[in-house]
Amino acid sequence: MTIILLGILGFQLWSRSNHFANLSLISFQKSLWWFMLVVVLMPANWILETIKWRTLLTIHVRVPFIYTLKTVAGGVALSIFTPNRIGEYGGRILYMPANARWPVAISTLTGSFAQNLIAFSVGVFSSVFLFKGILILKICGLILAAVGFFCFFNIRRVISRISTLKIHSIFRKLGSNLRFVDEYSSGVLLKVLGFAFLRYMVYTTQYVLILHAFEPEIQIRILFLGVSVVYLFQTVVPLPPLADVMARANIGLVLWAGTGMGELSITLSSLMIWLINLLIPALIGSFIIGTTAPLISLDTNESNIPSAYMPLASKPTGKT
């Protein structure tokens, strides 16, 4: 399936631009260092994601860092074709003990909320400087960002209120397991936001570096503002990661239309950031999934932890 979708993307890339010959004008010898730096930053991206998630998870379940990192990689593999990478939840739950199923889900949800909140807030802030006019939309965006931060630090209250509306049964289940959210102090949530911001800066810098390698004459400030707005749209409109590549390229074409940046540079940059930050980790995660037995049974509430993994988990013990 991945090969088919990549083939479709490649065809669109080829049909969109007839400037492939211009690639010969790029000094790959100079650009190679930028691409190498982007690749080097890829592990930092996912290590920060692991630290962010583990900051929440460790309050409920004791799991060694290396195993948590493997679980994150497995979640990436299962999420690569799901909107907004929601398959990550299933991947992380699948490779954690059954008695920690809800703490894993809620800690993942909280971490994802933090990451999307940072992407949305920075994107809205960047749009204030990038676009002229549309004052009402800018004010609405800033208000929504403020509301998002309020909700993040009052997760239990917000979900409890939503669960009373009976929108979906999942909210009732969340409401009945919100005792785990009580363990997240404001200090812990602030720390999670800090890790989310650091991770955001890493993958934003990666995108900017690739764009700069193709278009060195474009100001770095314009690239950072544009990339932040691209991630803003990506947060607001959840799509499967590969569809995100196409959407990201189209958004970039609109944002940088007046800067002289080439269509090919924008589209290739979007593809490369997907290959480096998602496809490679997904392949690693697929290997982990293929060589590691799941730790839970999907049919029962009993844990299927192999003896080798018994020391890895414990029942929730409250604050640590």
Side-chain angles (χ1 to χ4, degrees):
M1 180 63 73
T2 302
I3 295 175
I4 295 174
L5 292 175
L6 283 175
I8 295 172
L9 180 62
F11 175 77
Q12 291 188 351
L13 179 64
W14 184 271
S15 61
R16 168 177 288 166
S17 176
N18 58 357
H19 302 298
F20 274 83
N22 291 340
L23 289 177
S24 61
L25 301 177
I26 299 175
S27 176
F28 282 101
Q29 187 174 2
K30 294 180 180 179
S31 301
L32 182 61
W33 294 104
W34 298 115
F35 294 128
M36 290 178 62
L37 181 56
V38 171
V39 174
V40 169
L41 285 173
M42 183 268 285
N45 175 24
W46 291 107
I47 287 173
L48 283 170
E49 169 61 23
T50 304
I51 294 173
K52 180 189 70 178
W53 180 43
R54 194 167 182 266
T55 300
L56 297 164
L57 183 65
T58 303
I59 294 175
H60 312 296
V61 183
R62 298 286 187 178
V63 182
F65 178 83
I66 188 62
Y67 192 81
T68 313
L69 183 60
K70 290 180 179 179
T71 303
V72 168
V76 175
L78 293 180
S79 70
I80 199 164
F81 295 115
T82 57
N84 215 22
R85 305 216 311 271
I86 58 175
E88 226 172 271
Y89 292 82
R92 294 187 185 186
I93 291 173
L94 190 63
Y95 285 86
M96 284 291 172
N99 58 7
R101 194 175 301 176
W102 272 107
V104 169
I106 289 178
S107 60
T108 303
L109 176 64
T110 305
S112 179
F113 186 6
Q115 198 66 58
N116 287 329
L117 180 58
I118 291 294
F120 181 85
S121 302
V122 176
V124 168
F125 187 74
S126 297
S127 68
V128 172
F129 296 95
L130 191 62
F131 300 118
K132 296 180 181 179
I134 58 173
L135 181 61
I136 295 178
L137 290 179
K138 292 178 181 178
I139 293 175
C140 289
L142 291 172
I143 292 174
L144 284 175
V147 171
F149 279 102
F150 172 81
C151 292
F152 182 72
F153 286 100
N154 295 273
I155 295 176
R156 182 185 179 94
R157 187 186 306 176
V158 172
I159 296 181
S160 296
R161 184 62 60 88
I162 293 175
S163 63
T164 61
L165 301 178
K166 299 180 180 180
I167 298 174
H168 195 279
S169 60
I170 188 64
F171 290 108
R172 290 197 298 274
K173 292 180 180 179
L174 279 173
S176 63
N177 286 277
L178 285 179
R179 64 184 184 278
F180 297 112
V181 179
D182 289 337
E183 301 293 334
Y184 302 150
S185 65
S186 297
V188 168
L189 294 176
L190 192 61
K191 187 183 297 185
V192 168
L193 280 176
F195 287 128
F197 179 74
L198 287 176
R199 185 187 173 217
Y200 176 85
M201 290 305 301
V202 168
Y203 62 70
T204 299
T205 300
Q206 287 177 289
Y207 199 173
V208 169
L209 288 175
I210 294 178
L211 286 167
H212 179 69
F214 284 116
E215 302 282 352
E217 69 280 1
I218 305 297
Q219 294 182 20
I220 295 293
R221 180 182 67 88
I222 298 299
L223 293 179
F224 264 108
L225 291 175
V227 168
S228 297
V229 174
V230 168
Y231 284 129
L232 167 63
F233 281 100
Q234 183 177 318
T235 303
V236 173
V237 183
L239 294 169
L242 191 53
D244 254 346
V245 181
M246 305 173 191
R248 194 180 301 168
N250 289 322
I251 295 168
L253 290 173
V254 174
L255 286 175
W256 292 302
T259 64
M261 188 179 296
E263 293 182 9
L264 188 59
S265 299
I266 296 172
T267 309
L268 280 177
S269 298
S270 300
L271 176 60
M272 289 184 68
I273 200 70
W274 179 79
L275 290 173
I276 294 171
N277 272 356
L278 281 178
L279 185 59
I280 293 176
L283 292 175
I284 296 172
S286 298
F287 175 78
I288 293 172
I289 289 175
T291 57
T292 308
L295 297 189
I296 68 170
S297 167
L298 299 180
D299 301 321
T300 71
N301 291 321
E302 297 180 358
S303 176
N304 287 337
I305 308 177
S307 58
Y309 292 124
M310 285 299 289
L312 294 181
S314 62
K315 294 181 179 179
T317 57
K319 293 186 178 181
T320 57

